[in-house]
mmCIF file with all atom_site columns, all heavy atoms in Angstrom:
data_model
loop_
_atom_site.group_PDB
_atom_site.id
_atom_site.type_symbol
_atom_site.label_atom_id
_atom_site.label_alt_id
_atom_site.label_comp_id
_atom_site.label_asym_id
_atom_site.label_entity_id
_atom_site.label_seq_id
_atom_site.pdbx_PDB_ins_code
_atom_site.Cartn_x
_atom_site.Cartn_y
_atom_site.Cartn_z
_atom_site.occupancy
_atom_site.B_iso_or_equiv
_atom_site.pdbx_formal_charge
_atom_site.auth_seq_id
_atom_site.auth_comp_id
_atom_site.auth_asym_id
_atom_site.auth_atom_id
_atom_site.pdbx_PDB_model_num
ATOM 1  N N   . ARG D 1 48  ? 2.401   19.868 -4.131  1.00 93.00 ? 199 ARG D N   1
ATOM 2  C CA  . ARG D 1 48  ? 1.507   19.654 -5.220  1.00 93.00 ? 199 ARG D CA  1
ATOM 3  C C   . ARG D 1 48  ? 2.094   19.042 -6.433  1.00 93.00 ? 199 ARG D C   1
ATOM 4  O O   . ARG D 1 48  ? 1.388   18.689 -7.346  1.00 93.00 ? 199 ARG D O   1
ATOM 5  C CB  . ARG D 1 48  ? 0.793   20.996 -5.543  1.00 93.00 ? 199 ARG D CB  1
ATOM 6  C CG  . ARG D 1 48  ? -0.280  21.429 -4.501  1.00 93.00 ? 199 ARG D CG  1
ATOM 7  C CD  . ARG D 1 48  ? -0.571  22.885 -4.630  1.00 93.00 ? 199 ARG D CD  1
ATOM 8  N NE  . ARG D 1 48  ? -1.303  23.067 -5.929  1.00 93.00 ? 199 ARG D NE  1
ATOM 9  C CZ  . ARG D 1 48  ? -2.635  23.061 -5.972  1.00 93.00 ? 199 ARG D CZ  1
ATOM 10 N NH1 . ARG D 1 48  ? -3.392  22.986 -4.919  1.00 93.00 ? 199 ARG D NH1 1
ATOM 11 N NH2 . ARG D 1 48  ? -3.239  23.333 -7.101  1.00 93.00 ? 199 ARG D NH2 1
ATOM 12 N N   . VAL D 1 56  ? -2.378  21.956 -12.573 1.00 88.00 ? 207 VAL D N   1
ATOM 13 C CA  . VAL D 1 56  ? -3.709  22.402 -12.849 1.00 88.00 ? 207 VAL D CA  1
ATOM 14 C C   . VAL D 1 56  ? -3.825  23.868 -12.958 1.00 88.00 ? 207 VAL D C   1
ATOM 15 O O   . VAL D 1 56  ? -4.716  24.410 -13.663 1.00 88.00 ? 207 VAL D O   1
ATOM 16 C CB  . VAL D 1 56  ? -4.584  22.038 -11.500 1.00 88.00 ? 207 VAL D CB  1
ATOM 17 C CG1 . VAL D 1 56  ? -5.913  22.703 -11.519 1.00 88.00 ? 207 VAL D CG1 1
ATOM 18 C CG2 . VAL D 1 56  ? -4.689  20.437 -11.414 1.00 88.00 ? 207 VAL D CG2 1
ATOM 19 N N   . ARG D 1 84  ? -3.036  10.951 -9.778  1.00 91.00 ? 235 ARG D N   1
ATOM 20 C CA  . ARG D 1 84  ? -3.812  11.475 -8.569  1.00 91.00 ? 235 ARG D CA  1
ATOM 21 C C   . ARG D 1 84  ? -4.654  10.295 -7.977  1.00 91.00 ? 235 ARG D C   1
ATOM 22 O O   . ARG D 1 84  ? -5.106  10.499 -6.781  1.00 91.00 ? 235 ARG D O   1
ATOM 23 C CB  . ARG D 1 84  ? -4.706  12.635 -9.050  1.00 91.00 ? 235 ARG D CB  1
ATOM 24 C CG  . ARG D 1 84  ? -3.877  13.761 -9.543  1.00 91.00 ? 235 ARG D CG  1
ATOM 25 C CD  . ARG D 1 84  ? -4.707  14.927 -9.966  1.00 91.00 ? 235 ARG D CD  1
ATOM 26 N NE  . ARG D 1 84  ? -3.845  15.745 -10.894 1.00 91.00 ? 235 ARG D NE  1
ATOM 27 C CZ  . ARG D 1 84  ? -4.315  16.293 -11.907 1.00 91.00 ? 235 ARG D CZ  1
ATOM 28 N NH1 . ARG D 1 84  ? -5.496  16.062 -12.401 1.00 91.00 ? 235 ARG D NH1 1
ATOM 29 N NH2 . ARG D 1 84  ? -3.384  17.111 -12.614 1.00 91.00 ? 235 ARG D NH2 1
ATOM 30 N N   . ARG D 1 85  ? -4.898  9.295  -8.714  1.00 89.00 ? 236 ARG D N   1
ATOM 31 C CA  . ARG D 1 85  ? -5.549  8.136  -8.019  1.00 89.00 ? 236 ARG D CA  1
ATOM 32 C C   . ARG D 1 85  ? -4.670  7.462  -7.179  1.00 89.00 ? 236 ARG D C   1
ATOM 33 O O   . ARG D 1 85  ? -5.247  6.768  -6.194  1.00 89.00 ? 236 ARG D O   1
ATOM 34 C CB  . ARG D 1 85  ? -6.301  7.219  -9.102  1.00 89.00 ? 236 ARG D CB  1
ATOM 35 C CG  . ARG D 1 85  ? -7.447  7.876  -9.690  1.00 89.00 ? 236 ARG D CG  1
ATOM 36 C CD  . ARG D 1 85  ? -8.160  7.129  -10.799 1.00 89.00 ? 236 ARG D CD  1
ATOM 37 N NE  . ARG D 1 85  ? -9.303  7.845  -11.265 1.00 89.00 ? 236 ARG D NE  1
ATOM 38 C CZ  . ARG D 1 85  ? -10.012 7.725  -12.334 1.00 89.00 ? 236 ARG D CZ  1
ATOM 39 N NH1 . ARG D 1 85  ? -9.723  6.695  -13.079 1.00 89.00 ? 236 ARG D NH1 1
ATOM 40 N NH2 . ARG D 1 85  ? -10.943 8.514  -12.668 1.00 89.00 ? 236 ARG D NH2 1
ATOM 41 N N   . ASN D 1 95  ? -12.734 20.498 2.350   1.00 91.00 ? 246 ASN D N   1
ATOM 42 C CA  . ASN D 1 95  ? -13.465 20.884 1.187   1.00 91.00 ? 246 ASN D CA  1
ATOM 43 C C   . ASN D 1 95  ? -14.374 19.688 0.746   1.00 91.00 ? 246 ASN D C   1
ATOM 44 O O   . ASN D 1 95  ? -14.269 19.175 -0.327  1.00 91.00 ? 246 ASN D O   1
ATOM 45 C CB  . ASN D 1 95  ? -12.658 21.266 0.038   1.00 91.00 ? 246 ASN D CB  1
ATOM 46 C CG  . ASN D 1 95  ? -11.515 20.292 -0.240  1.00 91.00 ? 246 ASN D CG  1
ATOM 47 O OD1 . ASN D 1 95  ? -11.375 19.166 0.395   1.00 91.00 ? 246 ASN D OD1 1
ATOM 48 N ND2 . ASN D 1 95  ? -10.830 20.549 -1.326  1.00 91.00 ? 246 ASN D ND2 1
ATOM 49 N N   . THR D 1 99  ? -22.677 19.507 -2.221  1.00 86.00 ? 250 THR D N   1
ATOM 50 C CA  . THR D 1 99  ? -23.856 19.049 -2.862  1.00 86.00 ? 250 THR D CA  1
ATOM 51 C C   . THR D 1 99  ? -24.130 17.539 -2.473  1.00 86.00 ? 250 THR D C   1
ATOM 52 O O   . THR D 1 99  ? -25.033 16.925 -3.082  1.00 86.00 ? 250 THR D O   1
ATOM 53 C CB  . THR D 1 99  ? -23.854 19.261 -4.356  1.00 86.00 ? 250 THR D CB  1
ATOM 54 O OG1 . THR D 1 99  ? -22.652 18.654 -4.838  1.00 86.00 ? 250 THR D OG1 1
ATOM 55 C CG2 . THR D 1 99  ? -23.888 20.686 -4.677  1.00 86.00 ? 250 THR D CG2 1
ATOM 56 N N   . ARG E 2 206 ? -12.769 27.091 -6.379  1.00 90.00 ? 288 ARG E N   1
ATOM 57 C CA  . ARG E 2 206 ? -11.599 26.424 -6.777  1.00 90.00 ? 288 ARG E CA  1
ATOM 58 C C   . ARG E 2 206 ? -11.257 25.189 -5.847  1.00 90.00 ? 288 ARG E C   1
ATOM 59 O O   . ARG E 2 206 ? -10.868 24.149 -6.242  1.00 90.00 ? 288 ARG E O   1
ATOM 60 C CB  . ARG E 2 206 ? -10.513 27.440 -6.656  1.00 90.00 ? 288 ARG E CB  1
ATOM 61 C CG  . ARG E 2 206 ? -9.181  26.901 -7.202  1.00 90.00 ? 288 ARG E CG  1
ATOM 62 C CD  . ARG E 2 206 ? -8.989  27.522 -8.657  1.00 90.00 ? 288 ARG E CD  1
ATOM 63 N NE  . ARG E 2 206 ? -7.850  26.772 -9.095  1.00 90.00 ? 288 ARG E NE  1
ATOM 64 C CZ  . ARG E 2 206 ? -7.952  25.933 -10.235 1.00 90.00 ? 288 ARG E CZ  1
ATOM 65 N NH1 . ARG E 2 206 ? -9.096  25.871 -10.824 1.00 90.00 ? 288 ARG E NH1 1
ATOM 66 N NH2 . ARG E 2 206 ? -6.874  25.431 -10.653 1.00 90.00 ? 288 ARG E NH2 1
ATOM 67 N N   . LEU E 2 207 ? -11.593 25.363 -4.622  1.00 90.00 ? 289 LEU E N   1
ATOM 68 C CA  . LEU E 2 207 ? -11.382 24.273 -3.558  1.00 90.00 ? 289 LEU E CA  1
ATOM 69 C C   . LEU E 2 207 ? -12.060 23.014 -4.018  1.00 90.00 ? 289 LEU E C   1
ATOM 70 O O   . LEU E 2 207 ? -11.555 21.930 -3.835  1.00 90.00 ? 289 LEU E O   1
ATOM 71 C CB  . LEU E 2 207 ? -11.923 24.805 -2.195  1.00 90.00 ? 289 LEU E CB  1
ATOM 72 C CG  . LEU E 2 207 ? -11.332 24.384 -0.979  1.00 90.00 ? 289 LEU E CG  1
ATOM 73 C CD1 . LEU E 2 207 ? -9.878  24.869 -0.995  1.00 90.00 ? 289 LEU E CD1 1
ATOM 74 C CD2 . LEU E 2 207 ? -11.965 25.134 0.223   1.00 90.00 ? 289 LEU E CD2 1
ATOM 75 N N   . GLU E 2 210 ? -10.570 21.515 -7.041  1.00 92.00 ? 292 GLU E N   1
ATOM 76 C CA  . GLU E 2 210 ? -9.305  20.809 -6.853  1.00 92.00 ? 292 GLU E CA  1
ATOM 77 C C   . GLU E 2 210 ? -9.564  19.475 -6.062  1.00 92.00 ? 292 GLU E C   1
ATOM 78 O O   . GLU E 2 210 ? -8.848  18.572 -6.142  1.00 92.00 ? 292 GLU E O   1
ATOM 79 C CB  . GLU E 2 210 ? -8.259  21.645 -6.073  1.00 92.00 ? 292 GLU E CB  1
ATOM 80 C CG  . GLU E 2 210 ? -7.823  22.899 -6.782  1.00 92.00 ? 292 GLU E CG  1
ATOM 81 C CD  . GLU E 2 210 ? -6.629  23.441 -6.359  1.00 92.00 ? 292 GLU E CD  1
ATOM 82 O OE1 . GLU E 2 210 ? -6.269  23.235 -5.110  1.00 92.00 ? 292 GLU E OE1 1
ATOM 83 O OE2 . GLU E 2 210 ? -5.952  24.115 -7.211  1.00 92.00 ? 292 GLU E OE2 1
ATOM 84 N N   . GLY E 2 216 ? -8.562  12.161 -8.557  1.00 88.00 ? 298 GLY E N   1
ATOM 85 C CA  . GLY E 2 216 ? -8.363  11.428 -9.748  1.00 88.00 ? 298 GLY E CA  1
ATOM 86 C C   . GLY E 2 216 ? -9.515  11.598 -10.720 1.00 88.00 ? 298 GLY E C   1
ATOM 87 O O   . GLY E 2 216 ? -9.819  10.718 -11.581 1.00 88.00 ? 298 GLY E O   1
ATOM 88 N N   . PHE E 2 323 ? -28.412 20.843 0.334   1.00 70.00 ? 405 PHE E N   1
ATOM 89 C CA  . PHE E 2 323 ? -27.167 20.294 -0.407  1.00 70.00 ? 405 PHE E CA  1
ATOM 90 C C   . PHE E 2 323 ? -26.804 21.387 -1.470  1.00 70.00 ? 405 PHE E C   1
ATOM 91 O O   . PHE E 2 323 ? -25.966 21.134 -2.325  1.00 70.00 ? 405 PHE E O   1
ATOM 92 C CB  . PHE E 2 323 ? -27.484 18.957 -1.107  1.00 70.00 ? 405 PHE E CB  1
ATOM 93 C CG  . PHE E 2 323 ? -27.679 17.869 -0.234  1.00 70.00 ? 405 PHE E CG  1
ATOM 94 C CD1 . PHE E 2 323 ? -29.003 17.535 0.308   1.00 70.00 ? 405 PHE E CD1 1
ATOM 95 C CD2 . PHE E 2 323 ? -26.716 17.124 0.169   1.00 70.00 ? 405 PHE E CD2 1
ATOM 96 C CE1 . PHE E 2 323 ? -29.087 16.461 1.087   1.00 70.00 ? 405 PHE E CE1 1
ATOM 97 C CE2 . PHE E 2 323 ? -26.794 15.982 0.990   1.00 70.00 ? 405 PHE E CE2 1
ATOM 98 C CZ  . PHE E 2 323 ? -28.049 15.632 1.475   1.00 70.00 ? 405 PHE E CZ  1
#
Side-chain angles (χ1 to χ4, degrees):
Chain D
R199 288 166 64 95
V207 167
R235 291 175 204 143
R236 284 182 182 166
N246 56 357
T250 53
Chain E
R288 186 96 195 117
L289 213 57
E292 292 204 335
F405 292 90

